[in-house]
């Protein structure tokens, strides 16, 4: 069903939107009850921040993924358990040399305005994200595609990208080299198609309610910044008959205690995180609603390596690492199953043995003695105390960890100034280098060590600390060109060892996913990537 717009850009809602508003008005008047069939199955979901955008090429957060992943579907998508399954493509073939992928798109694939989803929509999207003017921080994920890096660096034209539409329903993608995790990457939002006919018509405003069209199980209806986002079931979705929900409402709630209160009050059905200090109470009182599971992610502090920052000195970076009591943070401050981290690549990654910092088995006394010596060698002491700015995004748990870290560094004579901001501002300031130490977390986009180690390569936008090590870069480049899985693994392990020996970052713990889920919901399955698409969720009778 097409969207209509007045010259003033006020959207004229399709009939099904108007009926929902009518139903809501009647309910308020007390004239209709659920048994009469007007009430919709509405999922109310608390996401952990306000999206910076709903353009798949202008986001980088898990909270944004919760929304955009419902609105759009890539060539490959995720099942309820996180396994990769066909999405907008019904099938594909891979050439014998592993470099050419040919996708057959679904004949019934449509945008929410009824226009067909074609191979050209993928070509358009992939070229757009690589265009430097688009300034997408996440474009590098798709660098395996032929000429992608050169285009994104301004060294080649977008038309040289290794993608082409053979016909409306056949897409060919050519890679620089065989890439074992490429199909996993295609489920990521950076590889989603874009509606060329809408983006070119409205420009940067194409994601506004009433203008945006999408190809996922849901379509955007409303976006009130800092308040709520509403998406309705997309009747044009190829699998719409199997989608049980009529509506999803996303509430950006950064304060985890607020999310918990609203969950307990029945105002939301899913909270995508909960305050760790409430875990014991939740286990005792809401055991069926409390979900804690292994998670492919690392919680860490970025150490700014830019000139002018004390953390550019590897001696300071090592001292800060040595003095953090990770087990105190995981066991006493958090206490929801997190595991102390001495590596950057977390446990559970396929084809990889984690590497760990050399001091892991040292006693705390030995570690503090060495840390004080390093700080003295770096020129810091009672007459020249080190003052650091530690930045974190708003969260009770992030604040607690930051306060603990400051206390652990105090014996070194380090004075810490804590600075917090809402999540979008926090990460933007991190990219601009406005910090000494900054809180960050990374959740695997795909199950491969490269997805983590890539964050330590020179020039990568999400390398917030601007760390640079040419030897690490060489290892990663060689690994990218290595077909033998054992040799590739060895190269990446060597790269991580270089970063750990250089104390490039300060890993704190490996994540567990923490969710509150209404026990009346079906279709929610814990998985290591903590990816949950609303198309699989329904309310039990």
């Amino acid at each position: 069903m097409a969207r209509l717009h007045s010259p003033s850009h006020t959207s004229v809602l399709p009939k099904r939107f108007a009926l929902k508003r009518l139903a809501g008005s009647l309910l308020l008047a007390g004239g209709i009850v659920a048994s009469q069939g007007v009430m919709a199955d509405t999922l109310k979901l608390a996401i952990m921040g306000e999206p910076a955008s709903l353009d798949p090429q202008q986001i980088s957060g898990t909270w944004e993924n919760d929304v955009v992943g419902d609105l759009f579907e890539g060539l490959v998508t995720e099942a309820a358990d996180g396994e990769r399954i066909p999405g907008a493509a019904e099938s594909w073939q891979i050439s014998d040399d592993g470099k050419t992928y040919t996708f057959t798109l679904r004949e019934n694939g449509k945008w929410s305005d009824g226009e067909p989803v074609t191979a050209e929509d993928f070509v358009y999207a992939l070229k757009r994200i690589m265009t430097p003017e688009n300034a997408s921080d996440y474009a590098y994920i798709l660098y395996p595609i032929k000429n992608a890096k050169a285009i994104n660096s301004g060294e080649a034209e977008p038309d040289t990208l290794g993608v082409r539409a053979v016909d409306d329903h056949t897409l060919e993608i050519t890679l620089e080299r065989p890439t074992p995790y490429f199909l996993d990457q295609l489920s990521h939002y950076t590889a989603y198609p874009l509606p060329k006919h809408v983006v070119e018509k409205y420009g940067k405003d194409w994601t506004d309610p009433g203008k945006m069209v999408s190809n996922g199980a849901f379509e955007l209806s409303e976006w009130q910044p800092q308040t709520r986002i509403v998406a309705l079931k997309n009747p044009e979705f190829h699998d719409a008959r199997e989608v049980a929900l009529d509506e999803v409402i996303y509430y950006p709630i950064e304060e985890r205690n607020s999310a918990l209160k609203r969950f307990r009050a029945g105002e939301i059905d899913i909270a995508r995180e909960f305050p760790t200090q409430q875990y014991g109470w939740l286990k005792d009182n809401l055991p069926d609603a409390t979900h804690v599971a292994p998670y492919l992610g690392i919680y860490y502090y970025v150490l700014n390596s830019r000139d002018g920052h004390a953390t550019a000195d590897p001696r300071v970076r090592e001292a800060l690492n040595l003095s953090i009591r990770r087990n105190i943070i995981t066991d006493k401050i958090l206490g929801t199953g997190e595991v102390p981290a001495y590596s950057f690549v977390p446990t559970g990654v396929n084809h990889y043995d984690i590497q760990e910092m050399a001091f892991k088995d040292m006693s705390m006394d030995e570690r503090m003695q060495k840390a004080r010596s390093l700080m003295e060698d770096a020129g810091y002491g009672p007459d020249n105390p080190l003052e650091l700015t530690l930045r974190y995004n708003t969260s009770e748990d992030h604040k607690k960890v930051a306060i603990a870290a400051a206390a652990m560094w105090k014996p070194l004579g380090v004075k810490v100034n804590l600075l917090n901001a809402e999540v979008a501002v926090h990460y933007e300031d991190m990219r601009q280098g406005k910090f000494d130490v900054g809180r960050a977390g990374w959740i695997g986009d795909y199950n491969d060590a490269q997805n983590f180690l890539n964050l330590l390569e020179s020039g990568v936008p999400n390398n917030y600390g601007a760390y640079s090590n040419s030897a690490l870069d060489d290892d990663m480049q060689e690994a990218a060109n290595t077909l033998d899985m054992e040799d590739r693994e060895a190269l990446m392990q060597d790269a991580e060892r270089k970063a750990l020996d250089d104390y490039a970052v300060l890993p704190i713990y490996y994540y567990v996913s923490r969710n509150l889920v209404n026990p009346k919901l079906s279709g929610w399955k814990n998985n290591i990537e903590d990816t949950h698409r609303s198309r699989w969720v329904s309310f039990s009778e």
Side-chain angles (χ1 to χ4, degrees):
M1 185 179 296
R3 298 285 182 85
L4 303 176
H5 310 280
S6 69
S8 65
H9 302 291
T10 300
S11 62
V12 178
L13 296 177
K15 183 178 179 181
R16 61 182 182 279
F17 287 28
L19 285 174
K20 284 183 179 292
R21 288 195 172 180
L22 174 61
S25 299
L26 291 172
L27 282 167
L28 289 173
I32 295 181
V33 296
S35 61
Q36 291 175 277
V38 176
M39 287 283 285
D41 276 341
T42 298
L43 179 69
K44 293 166 289 185
L45 178 65
I47 58 176
M48 295 299 106
E50 173 71 13
S53 174
L54 295 182
D55 183 334
Q57 299 182 357
Q58 296 297 325
I59 61 176
S60 60
T62 55
W63 64 97
E64 295 158 329
N65 184 26
D66 285 335
V67 183
V68 173
D70 281 348
L71 298 176
F72 292 86
E73 182 182 63
L75 294 162
V76 179
T77 191
E78 305 93 350
D81 61 1
E83 290 297 313
R84 299 308 193 266
I85 60 173
E90 62 182 9
S91 63
W92 52 82
Q93 294 181 334
I94 305 173
S95 63
D96 291 341
D97 65 2
K99 293 170 61 176
T100 302
Y101 289 65
T102 304
F103 296 89
T104 301
L105 273 58
R106 298 180 185 275
E107 292 283 346
N108 61 340
K110 293 181 181 180
W111 295 103
S112 53
D113 62 359
E115 290 294 314
V117 175
T118 68
E120 183 57 37
D121 291 320
F122 283 93
V123 172
Y124 172 75
L126 292 171
K127 288 182 178 179
R128 179 178 182 263
I129 195 171
M130 290 305 159
T131 303
E133 292 75 17
N134 192 47
S136 175
D137 290 326
Y138 233 158
Y140 68 87
I141 273 194
L142 298 173
Y143 278 3
I145 300 176
K146 186 176 181 180
N147 288 334
K149 185 175 183 178
I151 295 166
N152 196 228
S153 303
E155 299 170 0
E157 294 299 317
D159 285 344
T160 65
L161 187 67
V163 296
R164 73 181 185 101
V166 178
D167 55 44
D168 283 351
H169 292 95
T170 308
L171 175 70
E172 183 181 274
I173 301 180
T174 303
L175 309 184
E176 292 278 1
R177 60 191 68 84
T179 305
Y181 49 84
F182 185 61
L183 284 174
D184 280 355
Q185 286 182 310
L186 292 179
S187 66
H188 192 260
Y189 46 75
T190 49
Y192 288 167
L194 296 183
K196 179 179 179 181
H197 62 292
V198 174
V199 178
E200 292 190 340
K201 181 177 181 179
Y202 294 113
K204 65 179 182 180
D205 297 328
W206 78 274
T207 57
D208 291 349
K211 296 175 183 175
M212 173 184 262
V213 302
S214 57
N215 74 321
F218 297 88
E219 57 179 322
L220 182 65
S221 168
E222 175 188 334
W223 185 5
Q224 299 180 29
Q226 302 294 339
T227 303
R228 70 178 196 168
I229 298 169
V230 181
L232 301 183
K233 179 178 177 178
N234 175 13
E236 302 292 351
F237 182 57
H238 63 82
D239 200 29
R241 288 180 297 180
E242 299 302 319
V243 177
L245 299 173
D246 297 302
E247 181 180 52
V248 184
I249 303 177
Y250 311 86
Y251 297 98
I253 307 175
E254 291 196 39
E255 293 291 338
R256 275 59 170 172
N257 278 313
S258 296
L260 172 57
K261 289 178 183 177
R262 295 185 66 174
F263 181 84
R264 291 183 62 191
E267 296 175 9
I268 58 176
D269 300 301
I270 296 172
R272 291 293 268 132
E273 201 168 300
F274 59 77
T276 55
Q277 68 270 22
Q278 298 293 337
Y279 182 49
W281 185 91
L282 288 166
K283 285 193 298 182
D284 292 339
N285 294 277
L286 297 175
D288 294 338
T290 304
H291 290 245
V292 175
Y295 196 15
L296 192 65
I298 180 78
Y299 186 111
Y300 66 105
Y301 278 171
V302 181
L303 304 174
N304 198 334
S305 295
R306 297 171 178 85
D307 290 341
H309 293 268
T311 44
D313 188 330
R315 293 169 296 186
V316 172
R317 297 199 299 262
E318 183 176 359
L320 296 178
N321 263 285
L322 282 163
S323 52
I324 291 294
R325 299 171 182 254
R326 291 159 175 81
N327 62 313
I328 297 297
I329 292 173
T330 57
D331 299 346
K332 304 298 184 183
I333 295 175
L334 300 175
T336 49
E338 293 84 358
V339 177
Y342 297 88
S343 69
F344 192 60
V345 179
T347 57
V349 172
N350 292 335
H351 306 294
Y352 195 81
D353 291 329
I354 64 168
Q355 307 298 296
E356 294 183 314
M357 290 179 168
F359 66 77
K360 179 187 176 184
D361 295 325
M362 291 172 59
S363 71
M364 203 63 218
D365 286 343
E366 291 173 322
R367 285 163 55 175
M368 291 304 295
Q369 182 179 353
K370 184 174 183 181
R372 291 188 182 96
S373 177
L374 287 164
M375 293 294 287
E376 184 178 344
D377 289 346
Y380 298 102
D383 297 330
N384 184 32
L386 174 60
E387 188 168 336
L388 295 175
T389 297
L390 195 168
R391 175 183 289 277
Y392 63 94
N393 55 294
T394 303
S395 158
E396 299 93 335
D397 288 342
H398 298 338
K399 182 178 180 179
K400 289 190 297 182
V401 173
I403 291 172
M408 293 171 186
W409 290 332
K410 189 174 181 179
L412 302 181
V414 178
K415 179 182 178 182
V416 178
N417 299 311
L418 300 181
L419 180 64
N420 79 291
E422 63 93 10
V423 66
V425 173
H426 169 74
Y427 278 107
E428 181 57 33
D429 286 347
M430 291 266 282
R431 291 186 184 94
Q432 295 180 21
K434 298 178 181 179
F435 69 100
D436 297 310
V437 180
R439 179 267 158 189
W442 190 259
I443 308 304
D445 299 304
Y446 44 91
N447 195 333
D448 192 271
Q450 184 272 349
N451 187 225
F452 292 87
L453 295 175
N454 182 246
L455 299 176
L456 302 178
E457 292 187 64
S458 303
V460 171
N462 288 333
N463 179 349
Y464 305 115
Y467 175 74
S468 183
N469 183 325
S470 59
L472 180 151
D473 295 341
D474 290 345
D475 277 345
M476 294 302 293
Q477 182 64 31
E478 186 176 352
N481 288 287
T482 300
L483 297 180
D484 184 273
M485 293 299 288
E486 290 187 4
D487 290 345
R488 179 176 180 270
E489 177 183 346
L491 285 163
M492 290 194 292
Q493 289 173 352
D494 188 53
E496 183 176 16
R497 171 54 52 200
K498 289 181 171 69
L500 296 178
D501 289 347
D502 207 13
Y503 298 93
V505 291
L506 197 159
I508 298 178
Y509 62 81
Y510 307 128
Y511 275 112
V512 291
S513 60
R514 302 192 300 262
N515 294 285
L516 295 175
V517 182
N518 185 338
K520 294 182 180 179
L521 291 178
S522 299
W524 175 284
K525 295 184 180 181
N526 294 332
N527 61 78
I528 196 168
E529 294 178 62
D530 199 29
T531 298
H532 306 276
R533 301 306 181 203
S534 299
R535 65 180 284 194
W536 307 115
V537 175
S538 62
F539 285 88
S540 303
E541 295 296 333

